[in-house]
Amino acid sequence: MKGSLTILCCFIVGVISGLFVDLPAFATESDLTLWVLYALIFFVGIGIGGDATTFSVLKKSNVRIFLIPAAVIVGSLAGAAGASLLLSDVSIKDAMAIGSGLGYYSLSSIYITEMRGEVLGTIALLSNIMREIFTLLAAPLLVAWFGRTAPIASAGATAMDTTLPIITMNSGKDFAILALFSGVVLTIAVPILVTFILT
């Protein structure tokens, strides 16, 4: 829980700094955050590579490794369809299209905007960003309540990049490979699912 509060505090400080502090151009106009993310993933990779037991998880999982991304897809679409029943302005089809973003907010929101307009595209963007932020903040609780694969499912496609460090920290290095695999599969699935649902 301490890690989640630290992340939340850093996020809030970042938002306040962006709003009220005159930051240098390299902090706001460059790809600094992207390079920091690359560095985080690099160090996660070192941690995975340095642990001899990490890859044994893949050997034990075999075909079952595909169950995690499959369950994420089914759960996300079912949850979105269920949520649409409570929202009179959003059809089941549109809600499922938003859910099929699977956390990949940049690509899914572009696809949905092109196919359904800016309003639904913006909802998709916010929904998927909230999914990522929720995973970053709630990962310790997810592990405690639902098990070590829960943050992987919650993260969706971001399990391969932005949420990978927090998943590794809370679920363990042996689950980092599963998170990476699940994130890659879901990232590939997003454009296929969004296009299929909306057409």
Side-chain angles (χ1 to χ4, degrees):
M1 194 65 186
K2 183 181 177 182
S4 295
L5 291 173
T6 303
I7 291 169
L8 179 61
C9 289
C10 289
F11 177 74
I12 292 170
V13 170
V15 170
I16 293 170
S17 298
L19 287 171
F20 301 110
V21 179
D22 188 22
L23 298 169
F26 78 87
T28 56
E29 297 174 7
S30 67
D31 292 330
L32 179 64
T33 53
L34 187 63
W35 286 105
V36 170
L37 175 61
Y38 289 158
L40 279 172
I41 294 172
F42 172 74
F43 287 113
V44 168
I46 289 176
I48 293 170
D51 189 344
T53 63
T54 301
F55 291 94
S56 64
V57 174
L58 289 178
K59 293 178 183 176
K60 291 177 185 176
S61 299
N62 296 326
V63 179
R64 290 179 298 169
I65 196 171
F66 286 97
L67 290 176
I68 294 175
V72 172
I73 291 170
V74 171
S76 296
L77 295 179
S84 72
L85 301 176
L86 304 173
L87 304 169
S88 58
D89 296 338
V90 181
S91 69
I92 290 180
K93 187 176 183 179
D94 288 346
M96 289 179 71
I98 293 168
S100 68
L102 304 172
Y104 194 172
Y105 52 84
S106 55
L107 183 66
S108 63
S109 59
I110 291 170
Y111 269 77
I112 293 170
T113 298
E114 289 178 356
M115 294 180 174
R116 276 290 192 274
E118 292 180 1
V119 173
L120 203 67
T122 303
I123 294 171
L125 177 68
L126 294 173
S127 171
N128 286 297
I129 287 175
M130 287 171 65
R131 181 175 187 158
E132 180 180 341
I133 291 171
F134 173 79
T135 303
L136 290 170
L137 297 177
L141 296 176
L142 291 171
V143 170
W145 293 344
F146 304 108
R148 295 199 288 168
T149 57
I152 300 173
S154 175
T158 65
M160 65 176 276
D161 47 47
T162 53
T163 57
L164 182 59
I166 201 77
I167 290 169
T168 304
M169 186 171 71
N170 290 281
S171 297
K173 291 179 185 176
D174 48 340
F175 278 74
I177 293 291
L178 296 179
L180 193 60
F181 177 81
S182 177
V184 169
V185 171
L186 294 174
T187 297
I188 294 168
V190 167
I192 298 168
L193 286 171
V194 172
T195 304
F196 176 75
I197 290 169
L198 290 181
T199 57

PDB file of all heavy atoms in Angstrom, residues 102-132:
ATOM      1  N   LEU A 102      -8.778  -2.472 -23.947  1.00  0.00           N
ATOM      2  CA  LEU A 102      -7.927  -3.281 -23.067  1.00  0.00           C
ATOM      3  C   LEU A 102      -6.767  -2.511 -22.437  1.00  0.00           C
ATOM      4  O   LEU A 102      -5.700  -3.054 -22.198  1.00  0.00           O
ATOM      5  CB  LEU A 102      -7.377  -4.492 -23.839  1.00  0.00           C
ATOM      6  CG  LEU A 102      -8.418  -5.406 -24.494  1.00  0.00           C
ATOM      7  CD1 LEU A 102      -7.734  -6.440 -25.378  1.00  0.00           C
ATOM      8  CD2 LEU A 102      -9.289  -6.082 -23.454  1.00  0.00           C
ATOM      9  N   GLY A 103      -6.970  -1.213 -22.209  1.00  0.00           N
ATOM     10  CA  GLY A 103      -5.918  -0.397 -21.611  1.00  0.00           C
ATOM     11  C   GLY A 103      -5.018   0.298 -22.620  1.00  0.00           C
ATOM     12  O   GLY A 103      -4.231   1.165 -22.247  1.00  0.00           O
ATOM     13  N   TYR A 104      -5.121  -0.068 -23.896  1.00  0.00           N
ATOM     14  CA  TYR A 104      -4.267   0.525 -24.937  1.00  0.00           C
ATOM     15  C   TYR A 104      -4.938   1.805 -25.421  1.00  0.00           C
ATOM     16  O   TYR A 104      -5.520   1.871 -26.487  1.00  0.00           O
ATOM     17  CB  TYR A 104      -4.103  -0.479 -26.075  1.00  0.00           C
ATOM     18  CG  TYR A 104      -2.998  -0.172 -27.067  1.00  0.00           C
ATOM     19  CD1 TYR A 104      -2.663  -1.104 -28.030  1.00  0.00           C
ATOM     20  CD2 TYR A 104      -2.301   1.021 -27.061  1.00  0.00           C
ATOM     21  CE1 TYR A 104      -1.663  -0.857 -28.958  1.00  0.00           C
ATOM     22  CE2 TYR A 104      -1.307   1.276 -27.971  1.00  0.00           C
ATOM     23  CZ  TYR A 104      -0.991   0.330 -28.926  1.00  0.00           C
ATOM     24  OH  TYR A 104       0.001   0.578 -29.849  1.00  0.00           O
ATOM     25  N   TYR A 105      -4.838   2.861 -24.597  1.00  0.00           N
ATOM     26  CA  TYR A 105      -5.645   4.063 -24.828  1.00  0.00           C
ATOM     27  C   TYR A 105      -5.266   4.838 -26.090  1.00  0.00           C
ATOM     28  O   TYR A 105      -6.125   5.393 -26.757  1.00  0.00           O
ATOM     29  CB  TYR A 105      -5.627   4.990 -23.610  1.00  0.00           C
ATOM     30  CG  TYR A 105      -4.257   5.349 -23.099  1.00  0.00           C
ATOM     31  CD1 TYR A 105      -3.530   6.374 -23.650  1.00  0.00           C
ATOM     32  CD2 TYR A 105      -3.707   4.658 -22.014  1.00  0.00           C
ATOM     33  CE1 TYR A 105      -2.282   6.708 -23.162  1.00  0.00           C
ATOM     34  CE2 TYR A 105      -2.463   4.981 -21.520  1.00  0.00           C
ATOM     35  CZ  TYR A 105      -1.754   6.004 -22.108  1.00  0.00           C
ATOM     36  OH  TYR A 105      -0.508   6.334 -21.626  1.00  0.00           O
ATOM     37  N   SER A 106      -3.991   4.878 -26.428  1.00  0.00           N
ATOM     38  CA  SER A 106      -3.589   5.703 -27.573  1.00  0.00           C
ATOM     39  C   SER A 106      -4.153   5.158 -28.882  1.00  0.00           C
ATOM     40  O   SER A 106      -4.745   5.898 -29.676  1.00  0.00           O
ATOM     41  CB  SER A 106      -2.069   5.802 -27.651  1.00  0.00           C
ATOM     42  OG  SER A 106      -1.483   4.506 -27.694  1.00  0.00           O
ATOM     43  N   LEU A 107      -4.039   3.863 -29.109  1.00  0.00           N
ATOM     44  CA  LEU A 107      -4.501   3.278 -30.370  1.00  0.00           C
ATOM     45  C   LEU A 107      -6.015   3.119 -30.398  1.00  0.00           C
ATOM     46  O   LEU A 107      -6.663   3.500 -31.374  1.00  0.00           O
ATOM     47  CB  LEU A 107      -3.832   1.916 -30.598  1.00  0.00           C
ATOM     48  CG  LEU A 107      -4.181   1.222 -31.913  1.00  0.00           C
ATOM     49  CD1 LEU A 107      -3.647   2.024 -33.090  1.00  0.00           C
ATOM     50  CD2 LEU A 107      -3.619  -0.184 -31.948  1.00  0.00           C
ATOM     51  N   SER A 108      -6.589   2.580 -29.327  1.00  0.00           N
ATOM     52  CA  SER A 108      -8.031   2.307 -29.335  1.00  0.00           C
ATOM     53  C   SER A 108      -8.847   3.589 -29.467  1.00  0.00           C
ATOM     54  O   SER A 108      -9.858   3.617 -30.174  1.00  0.00           O
ATOM     55  CB  SER A 108      -8.446   1.549 -28.077  1.00  0.00           C
ATOM     56  OG  SER A 108      -8.208   2.314 -26.916  1.00  0.00           O
ATOM     57  N   SER A 109      -8.414   4.656 -28.796  1.00  0.00           N
ATOM     58  CA  SER A 109      -9.178   5.904 -28.872  1.00  0.00           C
ATOM     59  C   SER A 109      -9.135   6.494 -30.282  1.00  0.00           C
ATOM     60  O   SER A 109     -10.125   7.080 -30.749  1.00  0.00           O
ATOM     61  CB  SER A 109      -8.652   6.918 -27.855  1.00  0.00           C
ATOM     62  OG  SER A 109      -7.291   7.210 -28.087  1.00  0.00           O
ATOM     63  N   ILE A 110      -8.023   6.313 -30.986  1.00  0.00           N
ATOM     64  CA  ILE A 110      -7.927   6.800 -32.369  1.00  0.00           C
ATOM     65  C   ILE A 110      -8.874   6.016 -33.267  1.00  0.00           C
ATOM     66  O   ILE A 110      -9.626   6.597 -34.068  1.00  0.00           O
ATOM     67  CB  ILE A 110      -6.472   6.696 -32.881  1.00  0.00           C
ATOM     68  CG1 ILE A 110      -5.584   7.701 -32.150  1.00  0.00           C
ATOM     69  CG2 ILE A 110      -6.410   6.937 -34.386  1.00  0.00           C
ATOM     70  CD1 ILE A 110      -4.103   7.523 -32.397  1.00  0.00           C
ATOM     71  N   TYR A 111      -8.856   4.699 -33.133  1.00  0.00           N
ATOM     72  CA  TYR A 111      -9.754   3.851 -33.936  1.00  0.00           C
ATOM     73  C   TYR A 111     -11.215   4.208 -33.677  1.00  0.00           C
ATOM     74  O   TYR A 111     -12.004   4.362 -34.613  1.00  0.00           O
ATOM     75  CB  TYR A 111      -9.531   2.374 -33.576  1.00  0.00           C
ATOM     76  CG  TYR A 111      -8.504   1.674 -34.409  1.00  0.00           C
ATOM     77  CD1 TYR A 111      -7.147   1.862 -34.186  1.00  0.00           C
ATOM     78  CD2 TYR A 111      -8.869   0.800 -35.425  1.00  0.00           C
ATOM     79  CE1 TYR A 111      -6.190   1.213 -34.942  1.00  0.00           C
ATOM     80  CE2 TYR A 111      -7.929   0.135 -36.183  1.00  0.00           C
ATOM     81  CZ  TYR A 111      -6.590   0.345 -35.941  1.00  0.00           C
ATOM     82  OH  TYR A 111      -5.643  -0.293 -36.690  1.00  0.00           O
ATOM     83  N   ILE A 112     -11.570   4.327 -32.407  1.00  0.00           N
ATOM     84  CA  ILE A 112     -12.968   4.597 -32.045  1.00  0.00           C
ATOM     85  C   ILE A 112     -13.384   5.990 -32.490  1.00  0.00           C
ATOM     86  O   ILE A 112     -14.513   6.186 -32.956  1.00  0.00           O
ATOM     87  CB  ILE A 112     -13.179   4.386 -30.527  1.00  0.00           C
ATOM     88  CG1 ILE A 112     -13.008   2.897 -30.190  1.00  0.00           C
ATOM     89  CG2 ILE A 112     -14.553   4.878 -30.080  1.00  0.00           C
ATOM     90  CD1 ILE A 112     -12.943   2.581 -28.703  1.00  0.00           C
ATOM     91  N   THR A 113     -12.487   6.955 -32.392  1.00  0.00           N
ATOM     92  CA  THR A 113     -12.793   8.313 -32.857  1.00  0.00           C
ATOM     93  C   THR A 113     -13.074   8.310 -34.351  1.00  0.00           C
ATOM     94  O   THR A 113     -14.035   8.950 -34.816  1.00  0.00           O
ATOM     95  CB  THR A 113     -11.618   9.270 -32.552  1.00  0.00           C
ATOM     96  OG1 THR A 113     -11.431   9.340 -31.139  1.00  0.00           O
ATOM     97  CG2 THR A 113     -11.897  10.664 -33.092  1.00  0.00           C
ATOM     98  N   GLU A 114     -12.268   7.594 -35.110  1.00  0.00           N
ATOM     99  CA  GLU A 114     -12.464   7.541 -36.557  1.00  0.00           C
ATOM    100  C   GLU A 114     -13.763   6.841 -36.933  1.00  0.00           C
ATOM    101  O   GLU A 114     -14.428   7.220 -37.894  1.00  0.00           O
ATOM    102  CB  GLU A 114     -11.285   6.812 -37.218  1.00  0.00           C
ATOM    103  CG  GLU A 114      -9.999   7.614 -37.206  1.00  0.00           C
ATOM    104  CD  GLU A 114      -8.831   6.852 -37.810  1.00  0.00           C
ATOM    105  OE1 GLU A 114      -9.012   5.662 -38.180  1.00  0.00           O
ATOM    106  OE2 GLU A 114      -7.735   7.435 -37.917  1.00  0.00           O
ATOM    107  N   MET A 115     -14.151   5.837 -36.178  1.00  0.00           N
ATOM    108  CA  MET A 115     -15.324   5.038 -36.536  1.00  0.00           C
ATOM    109  C   MET A 115     -16.621   5.525 -35.904  1.00  0.00           C
ATOM    110  O   MET A 115     -17.699   5.312 -36.464  1.00  0.00           O
ATOM    111  CB  MET A 115     -15.102   3.573 -36.135  1.00  0.00           C
ATOM    112  CG  MET A 115     -14.001   2.897 -36.898  1.00  0.00           C
ATOM    113  SD  MET A 115     -13.805   1.182 -36.366  1.00  0.00           S
ATOM    114  CE  MET A 115     -12.585   0.619 -37.539  1.00  0.00           C
ATOM    115  N   ARG A 116     -16.509   6.149 -34.706  1.00  0.00           N
ATOM    116  CA  ARG A 116     -17.728   6.523 -33.980  1.00  0.00           C
ATOM    117  C   ARG A 116     -17.772   7.986 -33.541  1.00  0.00           C
ATOM    118  O   ARG A 116     -18.751   8.421 -32.948  1.00  0.00           O
ATOM    119  CB  ARG A 116     -17.881   5.649 -32.736  1.00  0.00           C
ATOM    120  CG  ARG A 116     -18.527   4.314 -33.001  1.00  0.00           C
ATOM    121  CD  ARG A 116     -20.009   4.471 -33.337  1.00  0.00           C
ATOM    122  NE  ARG A 116     -20.685   3.206 -33.314  1.00  0.00           N
ATOM    123  CZ  ARG A 116     -20.739   2.362 -34.346  1.00  0.00           C
ATOM    124  NH1 ARG A 116     -20.154   2.660 -35.471  1.00  0.00           N
ATOM    125  NH2 ARG A 116     -21.399   1.224 -34.243  1.00  0.00           N
ATOM    126  N   GLY A 117     -16.723   8.738 -33.768  1.00  0.00           N
ATOM    127  CA  GLY A 117     -16.747  10.144 -33.406  1.00  0.00           C
ATOM    128  C   GLY A 117     -15.923  10.470 -32.176  1.00  0.00           C
ATOM    129  O   GLY A 117     -15.489   9.580 -31.439  1.00  0.00           O
ATOM    130  N   GLU A 118     -15.752  11.770 -31.947  1.00  0.00           N
ATOM    131  CA  GLU A 118     -14.858  12.247 -30.901  1.00  0.00           C
ATOM    132  C   GLU A 118     -15.363  11.968 -29.488  1.00  0.00           C
ATOM    133  O   GLU A 118     -14.569  11.735 -28.579  1.00  0.00           O
ATOM    134  CB  GLU A 118     -14.627  13.756 -31.070  1.00  0.00           C
ATOM    135  CG  GLU A 118     -13.827  14.103 -32.317  1.00  0.00           C
ATOM    136  CD  GLU A 118     -13.604  15.595 -32.469  1.00  0.00           C
ATOM    137  OE1 GLU A 118     -14.050  16.351 -31.586  1.00  0.00           O
ATOM    138  OE2 GLU A 118     -12.996  15.995 -33.464  1.00  0.00           O
ATOM    139  N   VAL A 119     -16.674  11.997 -29.293  1.00  0.00           N
ATOM    140  CA  VAL A 119     -17.219  11.800 -27.947  1.00  0.00           C
ATOM    141  C   VAL A 119     -16.878  10.397 -27.445  1.00  0.00           C
ATOM    142  O   VAL A 119     -16.325  10.226 -26.347  1.00  0.00           O
ATOM    143  CB  VAL A 119     -18.750  12.026 -27.919  1.00  0.00           C
ATOM    144  CG1 VAL A 119     -19.312  11.640 -26.552  1.00  0.00           C
ATOM    145  CG2 VAL A 119     -19.073  13.476 -28.236  1.00  0.00           C
ATOM    146  N   LEU A 120     -17.189   9.391 -28.256  1.00  0.00           N
ATOM    147  CA  LEU A 120     -16.903   8.015 -27.841  1.00  0.00           C
ATOM    148  C   LEU A 120     -15.395   7.774 -27.773  1.00  0.00           C
ATOM    149  O   LEU A 120     -14.922   7.043 -26.902  1.00  0.00           O
ATOM    150  CB  LEU A 120     -17.557   7.021 -28.807  1.00  0.00           C
ATOM    151  CG  LEU A 120     -17.814   5.632 -28.215  1.00  0.00           C
ATOM    152  CD1 LEU A 120     -18.867   5.712 -27.118  1.00  0.00           C
ATOM    153  CD2 LEU A 120     -18.252   4.654 -29.290  1.00  0.00           C
ATOM    154  N   GLY A 121     -14.642   8.400 -28.673  1.00  0.00           N
ATOM    155  CA  GLY A 121     -13.186   8.275 -28.639  1.00  0.00           C
ATOM    156  C   GLY A 121     -12.599   8.836 -27.350  1.00  0.00           C
ATOM    157  O   GLY A 121     -11.673   8.258 -26.770  1.00  0.00           O
ATOM    158  N   THR A 122     -13.151   9.962 -26.884  1.00  0.00           N
ATOM    159  CA  THR A 122     -12.695  10.571 -25.630  1.00  0.00           C
ATOM    160  C   THR A 122     -13.049   9.695 -24.435  1.00  0.00           C
ATOM    161  O   THR A 122     -12.244   9.524 -23.504  1.00  0.00           O
ATOM    162  CB  THR A 122     -13.316  11.970 -25.459  1.00  0.00           C
ATOM    163  OG1 THR A 122     -12.983  12.777 -26.583  1.00  0.00           O
ATOM    164  CG2 THR A 122     -12.820  12.642 -24.194  1.00  0.00           C
ATOM    165  N   ILE A 123     -14.247   9.109 -24.459  1.00  0.00           N
ATOM    166  CA  ILE A 123     -14.651   8.199 -23.379  1.00  0.00           C
ATOM    167  C   ILE A 123     -13.710   7.004 -23.340  1.00  0.00           C
ATOM    168  O   ILE A 123     -13.281   6.563 -22.262  1.00  0.00           O
ATOM    169  CB  ILE A 123     -16.114   7.733 -23.570  1.00  0.00           C
ATOM    170  CG1 ILE A 123     -17.074   8.919 -23.408  1.00  0.00           C
ATOM    171  CG2 ILE A 123     -16.461   6.632 -22.577  1.00  0.00           C
ATOM    172  CD1 ILE A 123     -18.501   8.615 -23.795  1.00  0.00           C
ATOM    173  N   ALA A 124     -13.367   6.477 -24.512  1.00  0.00           N
ATOM    174  CA  ALA A 124     -12.437   5.342 -24.586  1.00  0.00           C
ATOM    175  C   ALA A 124     -11.067   5.716 -24.037  1.00  0.00           C
ATOM    176  O   ALA A 124     -10.450   4.943 -23.291  1.00  0.00           O
ATOM    177  CB  ALA A 124     -12.307   4.865 -26.038  1.00  0.00           C
ATOM    178  N   LEU A 125     -10.599   6.903 -24.382  1.00  0.00           N
ATOM    179  CA  LEU A 125      -9.305   7.382 -23.894  1.00  0.00           C
ATOM    180  C   LEU A 125      -9.291   7.453 -22.363  1.00  0.00           C
ATOM    181  O   LEU A 125      -8.401   6.905 -21.711  1.00  0.00           O
ATOM    182  CB  LEU A 125      -9.004   8.758 -24.494  1.00  0.00           C
ATOM    183  CG  LEU A 125      -7.720   9.444 -24.021  1.00  0.00           C
ATOM    184  CD1 LEU A 125      -6.500   8.694 -24.533  1.00  0.00           C
ATOM    185  CD2 LEU A 125      -7.678  10.897 -24.487  1.00  0.00           C
ATOM    186  N   LEU A 126     -10.303   8.107 -21.802  1.00  0.00           N
ATOM    187  CA  LEU A 126     -10.373   8.259 -20.340  1.00  0.00           C
ATOM    188  C   LEU A 126     -10.550   6.917 -19.637  1.00  0.00           C
ATOM    189  O   LEU A 126      -9.932   6.664 -18.602  1.00  0.00           O
ATOM    190  CB  LEU A 126     -11.523   9.209 -19.970  1.00  0.00           C
ATOM    191  CG  LEU A 126     -11.347  10.673 -20.417  1.00  0.00           C
ATOM    192  CD1 LEU A 126     -12.610  11.470 -20.145  1.00  0.00           C
ATOM    193  CD2 LEU A 126     -10.159  11.299 -19.702  1.00  0.00           C
ATOM    194  N   SER A 127     -11.387   6.057 -20.203  1.00  0.00           N
ATOM    195  CA  SER A 127     -11.635   4.748 -19.606  1.00  0.00           C
ATOM    196  C   SER A 127     -10.360   3.929 -19.514  1.00  0.00           C
ATOM    197  O   SER A 127     -10.062   3.328 -18.479  1.00  0.00           O
ATOM    198  CB  SER A 127     -12.683   4.002 -20.446  1.00  0.00           C
ATOM    199  OG  SER A 127     -12.809   2.671 -20.020  1.00  0.00           O
ATOM    200  N   ASN A 128      -9.589   3.920 -20.588  1.00  0.00           N
ATOM    201  CA  ASN A 128      -8.369   3.119 -20.616  1.00  0.00           C
ATOM    202  C   ASN A 128      -7.244   3.738 -19.784  1.00  0.00           C
ATOM    203  O   ASN A 128      -6.436   3.017 -19.203  1.00  0.00           O
ATOM    204  CB  ASN A 128      -7.933   2.879 -22.059  1.00  0.00           C
ATOM    205  CG  ASN A 128      -8.830   1.869 -22.757  1.00  0.00           C
ATOM    206  OD1 ASN A 128      -8.907   0.723 -22.373  1.00  0.00           O
ATOM    207  ND2 ASN A 128      -9.545   2.317 -23.787  1.00  0.00           N
ATOM    208  N   ILE A 129      -7.200   5.064 -19.714  1.00  0.00           N
ATOM    209  CA  ILE A 129      -6.222   5.716 -18.833  1.00  0.00           C
ATOM    210  C   ILE A 129      -6.546   5.391 -17.374  1.00  0.00           C
ATOM    211  O   ILE A 129      -5.654   5.102 -16.571  1.00  0.00           O
ATOM    212  CB  ILE A 129      -6.197   7.246 -19.062  1.00  0.00           C
ATOM    213  CG1 ILE A 129      -5.510   7.567 -20.395  1.00  0.00           C
ATOM    214  CG2 ILE A 129      -5.484   7.965 -17.927  1.00  0.00           C
ATOM    215  CD1 ILE A 129      -5.543   9.031 -20.781  1.00  0.00           C
ATOM    216  N   MET A 130      -7.836   5.417 -17.042  1.00  0.00           N
ATOM    217  CA  MET A 130      -8.256   5.100 -15.671  1.00  0.00           C
ATOM    218  C   MET A 130      -7.913   3.648 -15.324  1.00  0.00           C
ATOM    219  O   MET A 130      -7.544   3.347 -14.188  1.00  0.00           O
ATOM    220  CB  MET A 130      -9.755   5.353 -15.507  1.00  0.00           C
ATOM    221  CG  MET A 130     -10.116   6.825 -15.464  1.00  0.00           C
ATOM    222  SD  MET A 130     -11.892   7.119 -15.517  1.00  0.00           S
ATOM    223  CE  MET A 130     -12.398   6.375 -13.983  1.00  0.00           C
ATOM    224  N   ARG A 131      -7.993   2.767 -16.311  1.00  0.00           N
ATOM    225  CA  ARG A 131      -7.622   1.362 -16.079  1.00  0.00           C
ATOM    226  C   ARG A 131      -6.147   1.255 -15.701  1.00  0.00           C
ATOM    227  O   ARG A 131      -5.776   0.538 -14.778  1.00  0.00           O
ATOM    228  CB  ARG A 131      -7.920   0.553 -17.342  1.00  0.00           C
ATOM    229  CG  ARG A 131      -7.590  -0.917 -17.217  1.00  0.00           C
ATOM    230  CD  ARG A 131      -8.021  -1.694 -18.450  1.00  0.00           C
ATOM    231  NE  ARG A 131      -7.848  -3.117 -18.234  1.00  0.00           N
ATOM    232  CZ  ARG A 131      -8.480  -4.069 -18.889  1.00  0.00           C
ATOM    233  NH1 ARG A 131      -9.356  -3.736 -19.828  1.00  0.00           N
ATOM    234  NH2 ARG A 131      -8.261  -5.340 -18.634  1.00  0.00           N
ATOM    235  N   GLU A 132      -5.322   1.993 -16.417  1.00  0.00           N
ATOM    236  CA  GLU A 132      -3.885   1.973 -16.134  1.00  0.00           C
ATOM    237  C   GLU A 132      -3.574   2.564 -14.762  1.00  0.00           C
ATOM    238  O   GLU A 132      -2.819   1.982 -13.976  1.00  0.00           O
ATOM    239  CB  GLU A 132      -3.137   2.748 -17.216  1.00  0.00           C
ATOM    240  CG  GLU A 132      -1.645   2.783 -17.024  1.00  0.00           C
ATOM    241  CD  GLU A 132      -0.928   3.561 -18.113  1.00  0.00           C
ATOM    242  OE1 GLU A 132      -1.505   3.767 -19.191  1.00  0.00           O
ATOM    243  OE2 GLU A 132       0.211   3.965 -17.874  1.00  0.00           O
TER     244      GLU A 132
END
